[in-house]
């Protein structure tokens, strides 16, 4: 990799936008701090757990050494009869491990390394002394500082980075060049091939717009492979560890060599050997380094050991000096090993806000940002500091970046860089993937017409998906029809706030969801093929408590981004006289929920409330046109 950086100078044209981003980051920091403080103040209250960002009264049930000198602490509820509540603490989440019930006794920063239905594993740098614990999702101020530094650098840059900034701001037009015919490594359809050609021909920026099920990741992998074939060095980033691991896994399956940056606890267990730590451990220098560290430790112990014979004058000090020298030399060799691993890598994978010290002054021919629609703009500028061009992949008609500050969201912080580039440069830099390989044609059509101008095409392999295609499934009205809308209007199934919580639930809708789960399972649909999606965490908790089938996946819309199941039940929850639908008005979120099902989509909701919004009125009309609409009064026990 070449080692060059753009020259820096002041460019006042876009100062205001970058100053605004810094203000948004400050608002986010404040909002996150307020949420954490509120949770901590609810020390022993169950309401602290209802946010999904805290777990209380845990005990250590197992531990193991982790990579890089970390401890892996497994925690479970102190009372084994108390189930682990639903929570948002996923692999890679930064957390604060503290004593319980008095959190002031001990606090340790950690990272969630794995989770099961009844336990959570946290990687920590030092051994905890407490006996009982609480775990809280915490802010990542280090990441925020990296973003602030990146946008300041971008704001003041000339050279290549300044040129990219001008393009992102719409002050210059992006360039492209003619390409020879590509020899595609994978089996790509026409729209995927066009997207790869456009990305490879771009000189500055390209966007791969990948609606649900259209093979966005497959296309991204092809772009990376083509770049490596040309001898280019590629940096691949994404907003979450899960998204990075998804790309890394497919790169390794395609036979590509890649290095994964980041805390080992944030990387999937089966990908550990691809991490920087894992590859450095296999470097020839490591045997020498281990010997040097063992000898240093032996000298330290010898210097501290009591001896009957009086040691020579200055002998112990000399032992300590020699031990320190050995440790220093070992660390130097380790840095050499790290540099060798990175220098030999054609592809480096990391989250957007990676530690820039890991890549040093390395410069990349290509940056690929996957799931860029879920990345805030400041996070994208961190990897943009070290590249010639960027290809962003995602779908701005699905989940936007998660923004905690209502003020920042209102002012525009939720607009991703991908979305802004599409608005500015449109088809000049964008190609949309059009063939989807997930959904039945009828499940797909509403989303296609509403969000993608009717351009989506269901591949023949999925266009007529039915649950009855599976030999175990009984043919009946529920299983044979790909779509069902159950209208609860008039039944007085009112929403309510969860007790001791801030989330909404609809108890009668939850009961109906469980009834439909039972009906699907009775018809021979395996529970593992069924999912329930709710816009509110309280409804998720309520249905989980009542569902008899642990294999049925029940989660929020955010939790199901990028996922799919054969059968999906969507409960919309909202039912009130005022026609208020809250954040259901963010229809991109609903688009995610409507496009997770392969063979069967069932939606349950109150048309009297929902129809106040034109999107839901149109959705209900769509079900009616396909004779897939029924009222709650048609339900039989």
């Amino acid at each position: 990799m070449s080692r060059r950086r753009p020259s820096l100078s002041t460019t006042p044209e876009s100062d205001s936008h970058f100053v605004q981003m810094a203000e948004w980051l400050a608002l986010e920091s404040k909002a996150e701090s307020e949420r954490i403080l509120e949770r901590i103040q609810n020390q022993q209250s169950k309401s602290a757990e209802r946010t999904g960002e805290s777990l209380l009264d845990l005990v250590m049930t197992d531990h193991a050494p982790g990579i890089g000198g970390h401890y892996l602490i497994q925690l479970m509820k102190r009372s084994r009869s108390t189930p682990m509540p639903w929570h948002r603490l996923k692999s890679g989440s930064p957390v604060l491990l503290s004593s319980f019930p008095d959190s002031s006794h001990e606090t340790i920063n950690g990272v969630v390394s794995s989770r099961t239905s009844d336990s959570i594993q946290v990687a920590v740098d030092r051994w905890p002394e407490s006996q009982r614990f609480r775990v809280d999702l915490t802010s990542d101020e280090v990441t925020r500082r990296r973003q602030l530094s990146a946008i300041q650098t971008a704001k003041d840059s000339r050279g290549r980075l300044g040129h990219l900034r001008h393009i992102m701001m719409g002050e210059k037009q992006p360039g492209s060049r003619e390409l020879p015919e590509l020899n595609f490594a994978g089996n790509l359809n026409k729209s995927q091939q066009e997207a790869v050609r456009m990305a490879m021909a771009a000189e500055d920026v390209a966007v791969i717009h990948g609606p649900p099920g259209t093979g966005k990741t497959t296309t991204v992998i092809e772009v990376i492979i083509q770049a490596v074939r040309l001898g280019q060095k590629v940096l691949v980033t994404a907003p979450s560890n899960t998204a990075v691991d998804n790309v890394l896994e497919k790169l390794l399956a395609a036979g590509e060599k890649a290095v994964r940056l980041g805390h080992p606890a944030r990387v999937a267990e089966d990908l550990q050997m691809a991490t920087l730590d894992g590859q450095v451990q296999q470097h020839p220098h490591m045997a020498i380094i281990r010997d040097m560290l063992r000898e240093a430790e032996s000298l330290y112990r010898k210097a501290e050991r009591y001896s009957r014979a009086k040691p020579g004058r200055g002998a112990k000090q000399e032992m300590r000096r020699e031990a320190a020298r050995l440790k220093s030399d070992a660390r130097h060799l380790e840095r050499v090993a790290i540099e060798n691993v990175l220098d030999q890598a054609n592809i480096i994978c990391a989250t957007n806000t990676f530690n820039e010290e890991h890549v040093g002054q390395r410069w990349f021919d290509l940056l690929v940002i996957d799931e860029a629609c879920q990345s805030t703009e400041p996070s994208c500028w961190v990897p943009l500091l070290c590249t010639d061009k960027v290809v962003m992949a995602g779908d701005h008609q699905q989940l936007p970046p998660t923004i905690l500050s209502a003020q920042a969201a209102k002012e525009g912080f939720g607009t991703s860089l991908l979305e802004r580039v599409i608005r500015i440069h449109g088809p000049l830099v964008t190609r949309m993937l059009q063939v989807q390989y997930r959904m039945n044609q009828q499940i797909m059509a509403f989303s296609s017409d509403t969000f993608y101008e009717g351009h989506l095409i269901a591949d023949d392999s999925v266009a007529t998906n039915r649950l009855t295609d599976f030999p175990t499934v009984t043919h009946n009205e529920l299983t044979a029809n790909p779509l069902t809308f159950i209208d609860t209007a008039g039944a007085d199934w009112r929403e309510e706030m969860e007790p001791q919580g801030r989330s909404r639930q609809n108890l009668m809708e939850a009961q109906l969801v469980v009834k439909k789960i039972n009906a699907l399972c009775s018809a021979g649909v395996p529970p593992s093929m069924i999912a329930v999606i709710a816009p509110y965490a309280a409804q998720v908790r309520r249905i989980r408590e009542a569902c008899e089938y642990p294999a049925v996946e029940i989660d929020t819309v955010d939790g199901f981004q990028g996922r799919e199941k054969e059968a999906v039940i969507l409960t919309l929850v909202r039912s009130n006289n005022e026609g208020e639908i809250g954040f259901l008005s963010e229809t991109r979120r609903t688009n995610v929920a409507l496009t997770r099902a392969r063979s069967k989509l069932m939606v349950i909701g109150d048309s009297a409330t929902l129809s106040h919004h034109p999107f839901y009125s149109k959705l209900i009309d769509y079900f009616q046109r396909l004779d897939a609409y029924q009222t709650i009064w048609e339900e039989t026990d």
Side-chain angles (χ1 to χ4, degrees):
M1 299 171 187
S2 58
R3 297 170 179 260
R4 57 189 177 89
R5 287 284 190 182
S7 59
L8 300 181
S9 183
T10 301
T11 53
E13 302 89 354
S14 53
D15 276 5
S16 60
H17 178 67
F18 285 84
V19 169
Q20 179 73 81
M21 283 194 287
E23 293 174 356
W24 288 335
L25 284 171
L27 288 171
E28 276 293 277
S29 179
K30 180 182 177 183
E32 192 165 24
S33 297
E34 289 173 351
R35 289 181 67 179
I36 292 170
L37 179 61
E38 181 180 350
R39 290 202 313 272
I40 297 296
Q41 287 173 342
N42 291 324
Q43 284 289 338
Q44 301 182 56
S45 170
K46 285 189 175 181
S47 63
E49 291 189 324
R50 292 189 181 278
T51 64
E53 297 176 355
S54 298
L55 293 171
L56 309 182
D57 203 6
L58 306 175
V59 294
M60 187 190 309
T61 58
D62 198 6
H63 61 85
I67 295 176
H70 300 105
Y71 299 99
L72 301 179
I73 308 298
Q74 180 175 293
L75 302 168
M76 299 178 70
K77 279 290 187 177
R78 184 166 65 94
S79 172
R80 296 297 190 274
S81 61
T82 303
M84 187 75 81
W86 173 88
H87 59 87
R88 302 179 187 273
L89 308 181
K90 299 182 179 181
S91 178
S93 298
V95 294
L96 187 68
L97 182 70
S98 55
S99 55
F100 183 85
D102 180 10
S103 63
S104 63
H105 176 64
E106 181 183 38
T107 57
I108 304 174
N109 286 309
V111 176
V112 176
S113 53
S114 66
R115 54 179 280 186
T116 66
S117 60
D118 61 357
S119 70
I120 185 169
Q121 187 183 71
V122 179
V124 293
D125 291 330
R126 62 183 176 87
W127 183 259
E129 300 298 330
S130 302
Q131 302 299 313
R132 295 166 64 188
F133 304 92
R134 67 177 287 157
V135 176
D136 292 279
L137 187 67
T138 189
S139 60
D140 194 345
E141 289 301 320
V142 172
T143 293
R144 200 165 279 121
R145 285 196 295 272
R146 289 174 188 162
Q147 295 178 67
L148 281 169
S149 175
I151 59 178
Q152 182 62 48
T153 300
K155 179 176 76 71
D156 295 335
S157 294
R158 288 185 176 177
R160 184 60 187 160
L161 180 59
H163 181 72
L164 284 176
R165 185 193 68 247
H166 286 305
I167 290 171
M168 302 300 184
M169 296 300 298
E171 297 163 348
K172 289 184 179 180
Q173 288 289 92
S176 63
R177 58 190 175 89
E178 290 293 327
L179 277 181
E181 187 64 26
L182 295 177
N183 180 21
F184 292 101
N187 184 22
L188 276 63
N189 63 46
K190 183 179 178 181
S191 66
Q192 289 172 330
Q193 291 180 10
E194 289 178 354
V196 173
R197 290 192 188 97
M198 181 270 303
M200 296 305 297
E203 291 184 342
D204 306 298
V205 60
V207 175
I208 298 173
H209 180 193
T214 55
K216 171 182 62 66
T217 303
T218 298
T219 310
V220 165
I221 297 299
E222 184 71 32
V223 171
I224 297 168
I225 290 174
Q226 293 292 339
V228 171
R229 283 181 175 178
L230 294 174
Q232 296 182 1
K233 300 295 186 180
V234 184
L235 175 62
V236 183
T237 69
S240 69
N241 287 284
T242 300
V244 176
D245 287 349
N246 183 42
V247 176
L248 175 61
E249 186 175 26
K250 289 178 170 57
L251 283 170
L252 297 177
E256 297 298 319
K257 294 182 179 180
V259 176
R260 171 71 155 93
L261 301 184
H263 195 304
R266 294 177 173 175
V267 182
E269 186 175 350
D270 56 344
L271 298 175
Q272 287 290 332
M273 292 309 297
T275 63
L276 179 59
D277 292 67
Q279 296 193 36
V280 168
Q281 291 300 318
Q282 304 303 311
H283 193 277
H285 284 357
M286 286 309 298
I288 302 171
I289 292 169
R290 293 187 191 101
D291 287 343
M292 293 171 73
L293 291 175
R294 277 195 294 267
E295 186 177 350
E297 186 63 27
S298 175
L299 285 169
Y300 275 127
R301 286 197 303 268
K302 190 175 180 180
E304 299 303 322
R305 190 180 302 135
Y306 173 79
S307 175
R308 289 179 180 273
K310 184 177 180 180
R313 187 171 186 177
K316 289 192 174 185
Q317 291 89 335
E318 180 59 30
M319 289 180 197
R320 294 189 186 100
R321 282 195 293 270
E322 177 64 12
R325 185 187 65 78
L326 283 168
K327 290 190 74 171
S328 175
D329 289 347
R331 296 309 173 205
H332 173 73
L333 271 182
E334 188 175 51
R335 286 193 295 272
V336 171
I338 291 171
E339 292 295 311
N340 288 345
V341 169
L342 292 176
D343 284 343
Q344 293 170 17
N346 293 321
I347 307 166
I348 292 180
C349 302
T351 54
N352 292 342
T353 51
F354 62 89
N355 185 348
E356 63 275 13
E357 292 180 1
H358 285 153
V359 298
Q361 295 298 305
R362 288 176 178 80
W363 190 263
F364 296 87
D365 303 289
L366 172 65
L367 164 66
V368 175
I369 305 178
D370 196 21
E371 301 295 359
C373 56
Q374 295 181 58
S375 306
T376 60
E377 183 173 342
S379 73
C380 291
W381 283 104
V382 176
L384 276 166
L385 297 182
C386 54
T387 187
D388 272 328
K389 82 171 188 179
V390 58
V391 172
M392 292 183 283
D395 180 11
H396 55 293
Q397 299 296 354
Q398 295 190 65
L399 289 179
T402 299
I403 307 299
L404 300 179
S405 166
Q407 181 180 342
K410 183 178 180 181
E411 293 176 359
F413 195 29
T415 300
S416 67
L417 183 61
L418 177 148
E419 184 176 0
R420 197 155 59 77
V421 167
I422 290 178
R423 287 179 183 175
I424 293 170
H425 299 295
L428 188 63
V429 299
T430 307
R431 294 294 182 274
M432 189 181 87
L433 308 181
Q434 297 181 341
V435 182
Q436 65 86 16
Y437 300 90
R438 175 185 298 164
M439 295 164 276
N440 176 288
Q441 167 73 27
Q442 292 184 12
I443 297 174
M444 174 202 76
F446 178 79
S447 177
S448 177
D449 292 343
T450 306
F451 295 97
Y452 308 107
E453 300 179 344
H455 291 317
L456 290 189
I457 301 166
D459 186 71
D460 290 343
S461 63
V462 300
T464 59
N465 278 355
R466 295 286 197 283
L467 288 176
T468 49
D469 294 339
F470 295 91
T472 62
V473 176
T474 302
H475 188 286
N476 58 35
E477 184 179 357
L478 178 63
T479 58
N481 297 327
L483 289 174
T484 302
F485 185 95
I486 302 178
D487 190 353
T488 66
D492 200 30
W493 289 9
R494 295 305 185 194
E495 66 186 71
E496 60 183 51
M497 295 299 293
E498 182 183 34
Q500 294 185 314
R502 298 184 299 178
S503 185
R504 296 179 186 272
Q505 61 186 13
N506 189 313
L507 302 184
M508 297 304 294
E509 267 193 29
Q511 289 182 23
L512 181 57
V513 167
V514 173
K515 177 182 174 182
K516 292 304 178 182
I517 293 172
N518 295 339
L520 286 169
C521 293
S522 296
V525 181
S528 60
M529 288 168 43
I530 303 171
V532 176
I533 301 177
Y536 293 95
Q539 188 78 339
V540 168
R541 286 189 284 270
R542 177 62 61 180
I543 297 169
R544 281 181 174 170
E545 290 169 0
C547 180
E548 299 176 4
Y549 299 94
V552 173
E553 195 162 355
I554 306 164
D555 211 336
T556 59
V557 180
D558 296 54
F560 239 87
Q561 170 77 358
R563 307 285 310 287
E564 61 184 57
K565 288 283 185 175
E566 289 297 333
V568 171
I569 303 172
L570 170 60
T571 165
L572 295 174
V573 178
R574 300 308 297 260
S575 179
N576 54 73
N577 292 328
E578 295 75 26
E580 294 180 355
I581 62 171
F583 62 71
L584 282 184
S585 58
E586 173 50 272
T587 56
R588 291 179 294 179
R589 188 176 299 276
T590 305
N591 183 38
V592 172
L594 294 173
T595 54
R596 301 305 98 192
R598 292 175 53 83
S599 303
K600 175 72 181 185
L601 172 64
M602 177 181 292
V603 182
I604 301 172
D606 179 354
S607 65
T609 299
L610 298 169
S611 292
H612 283 77
H613 192 288
F615 171 85
Y616 293 96
S617 179
K618 182 180 176 183
L619 175 66
I620 295 167
D621 288 344
Y622 175 73
F623 278 85
Q624 287 177 324
R625 287 199 308 273
L626 294 179
D627 197 26
Y629 168 91
Q630 67 184 64
T631 71
I632 191 60
W633 312 111
E634 297 172 65
E635 280 294 301
T636 56
D637 293 329

